Structure formats: structure tokens, C-alpha cells
Amino acid sequence: MIYAENNLFILETDRTAYAFDVMGGGTVRHLYYGNRLPRREDYIALAPVARNQLGNSPEDSLHVSRENLMQEAGGIGWGDLRSPMVELSLPDGGAACDFLFSHFERPERAAPEGLPCAEGGETLKLVLRERAHDLFLELYYTVFADTDVIGRWARLINDTQETIWVNRMLSQRLDLPVGDYDLMTFRGAWAREMKPTRQPVAGELRWSSRAGVSSNRCNPFAMICRRDTNEDSGDVWGFNLLYSGNHLGIAGRNSYGRVRITQGMGELRWQLKPGETLDTPQGIMAFSSAGFNGVSRCMHPFVQKHIVRGYWRDRERPVLVNSWEALYFKVSHRRVAQLAKNAREIGAELLVLDDGWFRNRGDDTRALGDWVPDRKKLPGGLAPLVKEVNDQGLDFGIWVEPEMVSEDSDLYRTHPDWILGHKDQAIGRHQYALDLGRSEVCDYIVGSMTALLNSANIRYVKWDMNRILTDTFSPALPASRQGEATHRYMLGLYGILQKLTEAFPEVLFESCASGGNRFDLGMLCYTPQIWASDNTDAACRSDIQWGYSYGYPQSVLGCHVSDAPNHQTLRVTPLHSRFYVAAMGVLGYELDPGEMDAEQRRQVRGQIEFYKAHRRLFQFGRFYRCCAPTGERLTMVVSPDGTEAAGVHFALLNQPNPGQAPLYARGLEAEQVYDLTSLLVPTSIKDFGSLVNMMSPVRIRSGSLVETVADRFVKLPPDQLKLTASGAAFCRGGFYPVQSFGGTGLADGTRVMKDFDSRLYLWKKTEAI
């Protein structure tokens, strides 16, 4: 709900409120963002006093310090030394600008031109006019009441008779009262994305990307919290951006102790001629007084309801087998058909043919841009292969990287001028980026992808992008407009994706950029899921997915079980651990089931059968991060009606003689009774090595045929936990896992937890108290 009367504006969601008013001189003053208050008058009562004997902005003849005033917009050069939302170069060479309130409107629907925008909500438009020029700044606020999220974006309109230059144009800004705050950002690199990094806000802190993509170095999602905040309590403000290119976020604390957060696309140099407009990407904000989990419970349903859209928004995602780590570039019709047969036998629903299928693609040094099948590998092309896969009962998916071109390709030889940057530049993975700011390049990509998707019954596309943008020079732009190249690239990409997703609404698109190098809300508006990381090691993925969970729901995370030793870390982790971690997302397998032994295939069939039976819970359940006092982690999903839940406890390095610490559940209904059961995990005598000789009547040597035979016929009892208690008991008192083996013997029911081992727990509601 939006209240707008007497220059007071209150944006209310189900649980929160965002309030601002207009001061006498036209400055739009921020009042409050937090839990809803009982009366509208309460927001006025909270209005901060910013008078100062050294005040530097006349407002009703009062000495008002802009440096100590909480504001919605403003500019630079009028006394506010904090991070500005807008920076301009005006026709006279000056930069001072001050945007003051003109009027407001209530549009039914408003979206930034050429950019993705969240669906739904109620919108307010504030129109501000620059004090001395015919420049107008429109501020758009959209209230998504059901998810406690507020969206913001801005439009700059040049109604002067001269050209101006835009050096910064951010989407959202929030000024907070004086206090001690921390900034939590999510940083990393290839194969180690989304590491939570918490820092006290002192001076100015940034989270940003200059890589031409939203970047695995620093995701656009971030949170500001009070110093005493934890997972379940404390005030938290979350921020994100519907943008996939360079971005900039700043959290700064000034000399008065006030903290300002600004966020938007990265700094640019944009020429705005008379009559032209420039729109920012949409930013989003959420507040919760229930800690980091509270903000996640805002962000997750917001992404699921208002970002992901179309045919796949509410549909369960299929279980896939991807060919990459099974075949790499050694693709052939026979091998892919056999992989499909192996995938069907374990219960998969979709086979994805990854890189290596198109003409002359024998390695990663050539052929990008030439999106036609390699007739040496696939003599009949894609159609007969896809039909054979479909005849196995599987859907077919394919990998593409349409934004890139190899120097050794027919496309490059025909159009060497289509690349972004100079020919002599720092390149990644032997490839150039195409200049998507050019309409002819975008038309080529749309045409080639349309032809590909029409050539066979393709139901899934993995859309990859395996390099950052380094040299962002565009031959299509004059020297004076080169600062626009990266944003024009993003506008071109969004236009391509819009056309393709409209033309093929039932095709499931999954975005990828060397894993999580472009994991953001902008891409999720077109691709309902994103490949979270090229790192499929279960121990690493547990951390990576934990990081993503703060701002993104598990229904958008592509998560695969891969072989062991893992191809990125060479680590060996238990097969059930790899499954449990991947099950907390969109499950897939990146291996050849035909190379597993019979017992492993039996386990995988059981995994997929179990996942399908609980798929709605795993993909769309309410997600919780549960931290034990010992630092051990339990991740949980709870059904919307609270009748069932699942939790994964992942351990790192085993310790001898461990103590017993409880694990605390989250999200269960306090007044309901639940049965808790842990999934059975098989225990093998091979896990004990030579220790088995303490009990064996004959000597068994590790790795011997005798050990293999004994393991086949001697089955050790698996551990299993069964408890019945109220939701309140599980959440407040916790529950104790089965006692772990600690080097003192194996008794019935002992939990054998090796390094990187895990357990999966299921809760089922039985009755009300």
C-alpha cells in the first residue's frame, strides 16, 4: 500500500514501512525504513533534526545541514559530501546539481527502457526538477507487499537545449540513522563464489564489479546490519540489482555517524542530448528485524514470484545429466546416445549436450560463433540424435555461448569488426566478446539461435559466457561515446534474451558464466535458473550454496553431483554427500552413470527417486540456515504449509572422541508434533581399512579381493535417528545426531561420519498439540 498525502509518503508492505516527506524548500527527506508503525503520525514524529550553525542549504530559512540530513535523492555541490546518486557534467562545465520535488504520480506500470524489471507491485513516481536547469529526475518506487520488498529505479530527462554528460546514475539510495553497522558482501573468484565477508562500516566501503559482468569477484547482493545481528535476530537491510554488467555499491559513514547506502550500475560516461532520457536498472531493498534469515525470507519469495517468470516460474525443474565431465570435447552421436541410455536407467529426465557439438569444435581454441552441428561428430546433425534421446524418454538440452567468437571461426573471418575491443587485447579462453551494442550483431545471434532451436526438439538451453570484458572499445561508437559501450552491451544482451524467450516460452534457459560470474537478478528475469559454480566438489559447493542462499532461493541454483575424485579439487567425497548438497537446489548429474559400478548406480537411482518424491519441497520450500554453537551447519527447507521439512548436516573434517552438540532446526511450527527420521547411509567395511582386522577371523588386506568379497556379503548396520517432538522442541532445544564413531569401536547404531560426510533429516508433521 502507498500513502501519499500532504507531502508525506509511506510505502507499506505486509510487515515493513518506508517513509519520506518533502521539506519546505523541496528537498525530499528520508524518514524511516523498518517494521511498520501503528500510526501514520509516528513517521512524522521520527523526522530527524538536521539543523547546524554551519548549515549549508536554505530550507525555510533554517540552518539545515545537508551533510547531516537523510535524503532520497539530492545531488552534489550543495553541501552533501556523501556518495551521490547522480553525477553530471553540465553544459557550462560545472557539476553542482540539486534535484527538488515537483510533483508525484501513480502510474499503473512503469519499467526502465530496455532493462528487466520485477513483475507486479504498486508504483509511485516522484518527479524532481534540478534547481537551475530543465533537468528532471524521476524516482520510481514499487512496493511488493507480499514479500516485504521495495523496488527503486530512476530516469533522468534532459529538457534543456544542450547536451549534458552523465558520469554516475545509480538506482537506489538509503540513509540510515546514527548507529554501528556492518556491511556483508559476497566475494570470491572462479570456482569459489559467494564467500560472505562482513566488515564494520567505517569511512567508505564498496562492493562492485568492473569486469563487464556482475562478477564472481563481488555479487550485486549485499546487506547492512546492526553490529549485534546474527542469522535469526537483529535489524538487516538487504540490497540487490536487476543488472548483469558493471555495478557499484557504496556504504559510507560520515563524520556525523550517518550511514548511506547507494547502489546501481557502474560508473559510466553517457552523452544525453536534448530530449533524451537515461534509465537506471531497478534496485531492490528489503528489511527484516529477524536477522539474515529474515532478509532471505523476503528475497527468496520475491525472486520466485516477481523475478522468475513465464512457463517455468512455478514448475518443478527436471533432473538432468550433463555431458561435460563425462565427454568433454569427445562428442559423437554414439557416445551421446549411450549417455542418454545410461541417464534414463538412473531415472534422469533431461540429457544436456554440453560444449563440443558444433563445427570444428575440437577444443576451446576455435569455432565459437559457428552454431551448426559438426557433421564429423554428428553425421545426421542434431535432429536424429535428439529423436533418439527422446525415444529413450528424455528431453534434450544443448550448450551454447552466443556472445563470444573464436578467431578461428567462419564468423570472425567474415566479420572481424564485430568484436568488442581491439584485435590485440587481453583475451580469455581464446575468445573475443561480440559487440552486442551493434544491432546487426544482435540480429545474427537471434537468427542463429532461432535456427538452432527450430532444428530439433530442444527443451533446454545452457547459455554460457566464459570470459570477462576487458577492452570495452566499440568500433561502432565515436570516441566521445566510448564510455557507453558496456551498458550498451547489456542492453543488447537483454534485447536478445527477450526475443528468444518470447519466441520459445517453454524452453528452459539456464544461464552460466564460467559458473557464477553472472549470477544476478537481471539474468534471472530471462533464465529461471543459473549454474552456481563450475566447482562441483561437495565440500566447496556446500560453502558456495550457503553464500548464495542469503539472497537467492534454491529453486534458481543449478547443482550437480559429479564424479570422485572431483575434477576441480581431486577430492573424494561420499556419493551420498554429493547428492545431499546438490539436492538443496536444482538437481543434476555431471558424470557418466555407465562408468559407475552396480552399487553406485543403485544408489543414484534411489537418490533421484527420493528427490522426485520431495522435489517440490527441495526446490520451493522455505529455506533456513541453522548454525550450531560448534559452528556446524544445518540447511533446511520447510514446506509452505509447515507439514514437512528436510535438512542437510554437512561435516568437514572428522574429529576423534567428538562431543555431542545439538543441531537446531528452524521454520517448524511450534505447536505441531513432528516425526524426525534420518536417511539410511550404508556403511562399508572398506571404510575401516585395516581396523577391520580387530574383528575379522581372517586377515583382510585393504584393497584386496578378499576385502571386496567380504564387503559384498558382510553388511554393517547403518545408523538411523528417529525422534518425535514438537516443533518448539526441535527449534529451541535442538536434537542430537546419533553418536559418532570416535576410534573406540563400532556398536549398533554408531554414526560413521568420515571427512566431508553428511546426513539428511526428514520431518513429518503428525499432530497438533
PDB file of all heavy atoms in Angstrom, residues 13 62 85 160 284 296 300 364 471 676 679:
ATOM      1  N   THR A  13       4.583  -2.484   3.181  1.00  0.00           N
ATOM      2  CA  THR A  13       4.452  -3.890   2.810  1.00  0.00           C
ATOM      3  C   THR A  13       3.702  -4.606   3.934  1.00  0.00           C
ATOM      4  O   THR A  13       3.219  -3.970   4.875  1.00  0.00           O
ATOM      5  CB  THR A  13       5.829  -4.532   2.595  1.00  0.00           C
ATOM      6  OG1 THR A  13       6.501  -4.672   3.864  1.00  0.00           O
ATOM      7  CG2 THR A  13       6.699  -3.703   1.662  1.00  0.00           C
ATOM      8  N   LEU A  62      15.859  27.957   7.783  1.00  0.00           N
ATOM      9  CA  LEU A  62      16.542  27.260   8.871  1.00  0.00           C
ATOM     10  C   LEU A  62      17.941  26.899   8.421  1.00  0.00           C
ATOM     11  O   LEU A  62      18.202  26.722   7.231  1.00  0.00           O
ATOM     12  CB  LEU A  62      15.779  25.992   9.254  1.00  0.00           C
ATOM     13  CG  LEU A  62      14.342  26.178   9.787  1.00  0.00           C
ATOM     14  CD1 LEU A  62      13.690  24.823   9.998  1.00  0.00           C
ATOM     15  CD2 LEU A  62      14.355  26.969  11.090  1.00  0.00           C
ATOM     16  N   MET A  85      23.882  10.055  -5.773  1.00  0.00           N
ATOM     17  CA  MET A  85      23.140   9.151  -6.655  1.00  0.00           C
ATOM     18  C   MET A  85      23.366   9.523  -8.119  1.00  0.00           C
ATOM     19  O   MET A  85      23.379   8.657  -8.992  1.00  0.00           O
ATOM     20  CB  MET A  85      21.657   9.236  -6.304  1.00  0.00           C
ATOM     21  CG  MET A  85      20.777   8.152  -6.865  1.00  0.00           C
ATOM     22  SD  MET A  85      19.150   8.239  -6.082  1.00  0.00           S
ATOM     23  CE  MET A  85      18.251   7.115  -7.135  1.00  0.00           C
ATOM     24  N   THR A 160      16.744  20.443 -21.461  1.00  0.00           N
ATOM     25  CA  THR A 160      17.469  21.665 -21.818  1.00  0.00           C
ATOM     26  C   THR A 160      17.706  21.670 -23.329  1.00  0.00           C
ATOM     27  O   THR A 160      17.340  20.725 -24.037  1.00  0.00           O
ATOM     28  CB  THR A 160      18.820  21.736 -21.090  1.00  0.00           C
ATOM     29  OG1 THR A 160      19.731  20.777 -21.663  1.00  0.00           O
ATOM     30  CG2 THR A 160      18.669  21.454 -19.602  1.00  0.00           C
ATOM     31  N   ILE A 284      16.535  -3.270  -5.630  1.00  0.00           N
ATOM     32  CA  ILE A 284      15.538  -3.719  -4.671  1.00  0.00           C
ATOM     33  C   ILE A 284      16.116  -3.649  -3.264  1.00  0.00           C
ATOM     34  O   ILE A 284      17.329  -3.768  -3.058  1.00  0.00           O
ATOM     35  CB  ILE A 284      15.024  -5.143  -4.967  1.00  0.00           C
ATOM     36  CG1 ILE A 284      16.146  -6.166  -4.827  1.00  0.00           C
ATOM     37  CG2 ILE A 284      14.378  -5.220  -6.331  1.00  0.00           C
ATOM     38  CD1 ILE A 284      15.644  -7.574  -4.678  1.00  0.00           C
ATOM     39  N   SER A 296      16.511 -13.198   3.983  1.00  0.00           N
ATOM     40  CA  SER A 296      16.420 -14.268   2.986  1.00  0.00           C
ATOM     41  C   SER A 296      14.970 -14.656   2.733  1.00  0.00           C
ATOM     42  O   SER A 296      14.577 -14.958   1.599  1.00  0.00           O
ATOM     43  CB  SER A 296      17.213 -15.494   3.442  1.00  0.00           C
ATOM     44  OG  SER A 296      18.595 -15.195   3.556  1.00  0.00           O
ATOM     45  N   HIS A 300      13.884 -14.546  -1.137  1.00  0.00           N
ATOM     46  CA  HIS A 300      13.574 -15.795  -1.843  1.00  0.00           C
ATOM     47  C   HIS A 300      12.205 -15.752  -2.530  1.00  0.00           C
ATOM     48  O   HIS A 300      12.113 -15.988  -3.742  1.00  0.00           O
ATOM     49  CB  HIS A 300      13.673 -16.974  -0.883  1.00  0.00           C
ATOM     50  CG  HIS A 300      15.072 -17.308  -0.484  1.00  0.00           C
ATOM     51  ND1 HIS A 300      15.422 -18.507   0.093  1.00  0.00           N
ATOM     52  CD2 HIS A 300      16.230 -16.618  -0.585  1.00  0.00           C
ATOM     53  CE1 HIS A 300      16.721 -18.532   0.347  1.00  0.00           C
ATOM     54  NE2 HIS A 300      17.230 -17.385  -0.057  1.00  0.00           N
ATOM     55  N   ASP A 364      38.922 -25.728 -27.002  1.00  0.00           N
ATOM     56  CA  ASP A 364      38.356 -24.414 -26.700  1.00  0.00           C
ATOM     57  C   ASP A 364      39.064 -23.269 -27.421  1.00  0.00           C
ATOM     58  O   ASP A 364      38.899 -22.109 -27.047  1.00  0.00           O
ATOM     59  CB  ASP A 364      38.334 -24.159 -25.192  1.00  0.00           C
ATOM     60  CG  ASP A 364      39.737 -24.113 -24.581  1.00  0.00           C
ATOM     61  OD1 ASP A 364      40.724 -24.197 -25.332  1.00  0.00           O
ATOM     62  OD2 ASP A 364      39.837 -23.986 -23.347  1.00  0.00           O
ATOM     63  N   ASP A 471      38.783  -5.130 -22.867  1.00  0.00           N
ATOM     64  CA  ASP A 471      38.864  -3.955 -23.739  1.00  0.00           C
ATOM     65  C   ASP A 471      37.447  -3.645 -24.218  1.00  0.00           C
ATOM     66  O   ASP A 471      36.902  -4.337 -25.078  1.00  0.00           O
ATOM     67  CB  ASP A 471      39.792  -4.261 -24.922  1.00  0.00           C
ATOM     68  CG  ASP A 471      39.973  -3.070 -25.850  1.00  0.00           C
ATOM     69  OD1 ASP A 471      39.333  -2.032 -25.619  1.00  0.00           O
ATOM     70  OD2 ASP A 471      40.752  -3.195 -26.813  1.00  0.00           O
ATOM     71  N   LEU A 676      10.841 -37.123  13.278  1.00  0.00           N
ATOM     72  CA  LEU A 676      12.135 -36.884  12.632  1.00  0.00           C
ATOM     73  C   LEU A 676      12.787 -38.212  12.313  1.00  0.00           C
ATOM     74  O   LEU A 676      12.883 -39.094  13.181  1.00  0.00           O
ATOM     75  CB  LEU A 676      13.040 -36.066  13.545  1.00  0.00           C
ATOM     76  CG  LEU A 676      14.530 -35.985  13.142  1.00  0.00           C
ATOM     77  CD1 LEU A 676      14.688 -35.246  11.818  1.00  0.00           C
ATOM     78  CD2 LEU A 676      15.346 -35.318  14.232  1.00  0.00           C
ATOM     79  N   LEU A 679      17.884 -40.293   6.899  1.00  0.00           N
ATOM     80  CA  LEU A 679      18.013 -41.262   5.813  1.00  0.00           C
ATOM     81  C   LEU A 679      19.122 -42.252   6.122  1.00  0.00           C
ATOM     82  O   LEU A 679      20.160 -41.881   6.680  1.00  0.00           O
ATOM     83  CB  LEU A 679      18.318 -40.556   4.497  1.00  0.00           C
ATOM     84  CG  LEU A 679      17.108 -40.334   3.567  1.00  0.00           C
ATOM     85  CD1 LEU A 679      16.068 -39.453   4.240  1.00  0.00           C
ATOM     86  CD2 LEU A 679      17.550 -39.747   2.240  1.00  0.00           C
TER      87      LEU A 679
END
